Amino acid sequence: MSMVDLRSDTVTRPTPAMRRAMADAPVGDDVYGEDPTIRALEEETAELLGQEAALFVPSGTMANQLALALLAQSGNEVLVEKDSHIMNFEGGAAAALWGITLRSVSAPRGRITALHVHAHVKGVDEHLAPLVAVAIENTHNRHAGSVWKAEELAACFDAARQSGMAVHMDGARVWNAAAALGVTPAALSAHADTVSVCYSKGLGAPVGSALASSRARIAKARFLRKRLGGGMRQAGIIAAGALYALRHHRERMVEDHARAARLGACLRELRDIDVLPVESNIVIADLSRRGLNAVEESKRLSLEGVLAHDVSPARIRFVTHLEIGDADLERALNAVRSVWGT
Ligand SMILES: *Cc1c(COP(=O)(O)O)cnc(C)c1O
């Protein structure tokens, strides 16, 4: 049985057209700055994000960690949301690599407000670690792809700036945020000091992420990337997939969002199943009121041909993406009705 794989938008494989672009890509040694495809990708990415420069890196984790290293020093603190990727899914890297501590706050829908920022601003006191930056996540994965509105970003950024703090945006899915709001990515990211993005999530490229910022910061990030072992040679072959995705797969994301909304609505009709508000391509169902276990339930779904991800003991996540068409969605709707109906 072929499976409808809704575990993540990272499972997509390169399309035939993307593979052709990769096969035909001009390449060179990027550590010498001589890979034309990587340079094109970095320039287009910076432009789209309203930043001066960008750096191609192997993963979103590396992009986020480079950002932390640029904005904070050993012994400093960075404010994050408690369910964020930086807080939970980067192997303790902020502490392990840079000696940075993370101070986490719980924010509705994962969106840190000016009040959260102000509440954590500290005076100068020899007891306290300096809080130097705020890192936000847009869209927010564990809050079901929650999308920050432009005014929410502005309020959070302004509050940080008033207190002399820098701002990082983990924009692994900022492409989805822009598509959901019908705005340019730059409208959301231009005012951040650093922005990380992924090409390998909803955009559908096989590998790659980027960090965007000022020219001076990106020059420093280039050095740090090499130190971490992230200097790659003829990586234009993978950057070509990312460039193709950037040019051809951003606009279609609204289709993923529409399918996610349909799945969310279907789940909401089922008895005692709670669904987090669906704002982009991620649907999270909460099975607590049914007393069901997410691991067991995702196994039952898989027997119906649908793969989903148990993100906590009572929550299951479904992510729509490039490889999920209308027929796949129908199979998913039938599967959840059959497993959890009545
Ligand atoms: C996927 C993801 C990342 C980076 O993940 P990698 O697997 O290291 O590429 C960072 N932030 C968020 C919100 C993500 O979803």
Side-chain angles (χ1 to χ4, degrees), residues 26 197 242 285:
V197 294

Side-chain angles (χ1 to χ4, degrees), residues 94-107:
L97 298 175
W98 319 119
I100 294 167
T101 40
L102 301 175
R103 179 163 297 268
S104 69
V105 294
S106 173

Side-chain angles (χ1 to χ4, degrees), residues 9-10 58-62 64 84-86 89-90 137-141 170-173 196 198 200-201 208-209 317:
D9 46 12
T10 55
S59 69
T61 299
M62 191 184 285
N64 280 338
S84 63
H85 196 279
I86 290 178
F89 306 117
E90 300 192 3
E137 188 170 311
N138 191 18
T139 69
H140 196 306
N141 176 4
D170 176 350
R173 294 188 181 80
S196 58
C198 288
S200 56
K201 303 269 165 90
S209 293
R317 183 185 72 176

Side-chain angles (χ1 to χ4, degrees), residues 154-241:
C156 176
F157 288 9
D158 287 349
R161 293 265 153 64
Q162 281 162 22
S163 314
M165 288 186 244
V167 183
H168 170 63
M169 181 188 294
D170 176 350
R173 294 188 181 80
V174 74
W175 318 115
N176 292 90
L181 295 173
V183 301
T184 62
L188 306 176
S189 60
H191 298 295
D193 294 288
T194 51
V195 187
S196 58
V197 294
C198 288
Y199 305 111
S200 56
K201 303 269 165 90
L203 282 185
V207 185
S209 293
L211 177 71
S213 186
S214 66
R215 253 181 270 288
R217 284 209 191 88
I218 291 303
K220 191 172 173 207
R222 210 178 151 83
F223 166 78
L224 291 170
R225 180 187 68 174
K226 190 78 179 76
R227 174 182 274 172
L228 291 176
M232 299 180 285
R233 305 294 177 170
Q234 288 74 28
I237 200 112
I238 52 174

Side-chain angles (χ1 to χ4, degrees), residues 20 28 39 65 80 82 111 125 130-131 144 154 180 188 204 221 225 258 263 280 284 293 296 304 323 337:
R20 277 195 297 280
R39 286 165 105 170
Q65 290 305 317
V80 297
K82 78 173 196 343
R111 311 205 286 255
D125 178 321
L131 180 63
L188 306 176
R225 180 187 68 174
L263 178 57
S280 55
I284 295 182
N293 174 277
E296 292 304 317
E304 301 288 326
E323 292 192 27
R337 286 188 191 114

Side-chain angles (χ1 to χ4, degrees), residues 1-314:
M1 175 169 56
S2 76
M3 304 298 274
V4 177
D5 194 345
L6 295 166
R7 286 172 303 165
S8 173
D9 46 12
T10 55
V11 300
T12 55
R13 291 154 299 184
T15 62
M18 187 185 282
R19 282 183 187 268
R20 277 195 297 280
M22 295 172 77
D24 294 343
V27 297
D29 190 327
D30 185 55
V31 175
Y32 292 158
E34 291 173 5
D35 189 303
T37 306
I38 291 186
R39 286 165 105 170
L41 175 66
E42 289 175 344
E43 276 168 28
E44 279 196 34
T45 299
E47 168 94 35
L48 274 172
L49 295 173
Q51 297 281 340
E52 281 177 9
L55 183 71
F56 186 56
V57 293
S59 69
T61 299
M62 191 184 285
N64 280 338
Q65 290 305 317
L66 291 175
L68 294 184
L70 294 173
L71 303 180
Q73 296 180 346
S74 173
N76 289 164
E77 245 176 34
V78 173
L79 191 72
V80 297
E81 201 279 328
K82 78 173 196 343
D83 300 314
S84 63
H85 196 279
I86 290 178
M87 182 73 206
N88 296 283
F89 306 117
E90 300 192 3
L97 298 175
W98 319 119
I100 294 167
T101 40
L102 301 175
R103 179 163 297 268
S104 69
V105 294
S106 173
R109 312 284 303 122
R111 311 205 286 255
I112 298 171
T113 65
L115 285 178
H116 290 102
V117 176
H118 289 311
H120 287 85
V121 172
K122 312 169 184 188
V124 177
D125 178 321
E126 65 189 33
H127 295 83
L128 306 177
L131 180 63
V132 297
V134 180
I136 65 124
E137 188 170 311
N138 191 18
T139 69
H140 196 306
N141 176 4
R142 287 303 160 109
H143 287 267
S146 153
V147 178
W148 293 63
K149 295 181 185 58
E151 54 273 23
E152 292 174 323
L153 286 171
C156 176
F157 288 9
D158 287 349
R161 293 265 153 64
Q162 281 162 22
S163 314
M165 288 186 244
V167 183
H168 170 63
M169 181 188 294
D170 176 350
R173 294 188 181 80
V174 74
W175 318 115
N176 292 90
L181 295 173
V183 301
T184 62
L188 306 176
S189 60
H191 298 295
D193 294 288
T194 51
V195 187
S196 58
V197 294
C198 288
Y199 305 111
S200 56
K201 303 269 165 90
L203 282 185
V207 185
S209 293
L211 177 71
S213 186
S214 66
R215 253 181 270 288
R217 284 209 191 88
I218 291 303
K220 191 172 173 207
R222 210 178 151 83
F223 166 78
L224 291 170
R225 180 187 68 174
K226 190 78 179 76
R227 174 182 274 172
L228 291 176
M232 299 180 285
R233 305 294 177 170
Q234 288 74 28
I237 200 112
I238 52 174
L243 192 55
Y244 183 91
L246 205 56
R247 290 177 181 168
H248 301 282
H249 292 169
R250 283 189 298 121
E251 283 174 13
R252 60 157 303 288
M253 284 181 152
V254 292
E255 296 175 29
D256 297 339
H257 300 173
R259 292 192 184 101
R262 282 185 60 203
L263 178 57
C266 168
L267 286 161
R268 222 170 261 124
E269 281 170 13
L270 303 174
R271 178 179 59 83
D272 291 344
I273 289 188
D274 296 306
V275 184
L276 273 61
V278 180
E279 300 183 29
S280 55
N281 69 328
I282 302 179
V283 182
I284 295 182
D286 189 312
L287 310 174
S288 318
R289 281 197 293 140
R290 291 274 282 266
L292 295 172
N293 174 277
V295 179
E296 292 304 317
E297 296 308 305
S298 59
K299 278 192 200 133
R300 290 177 65 210
L301 281 172
S302 73
L303 298 177
E304 301 288 326
V306 171
L307 297 177
H309 181 42
D310 50 294
V311 289
S312 78

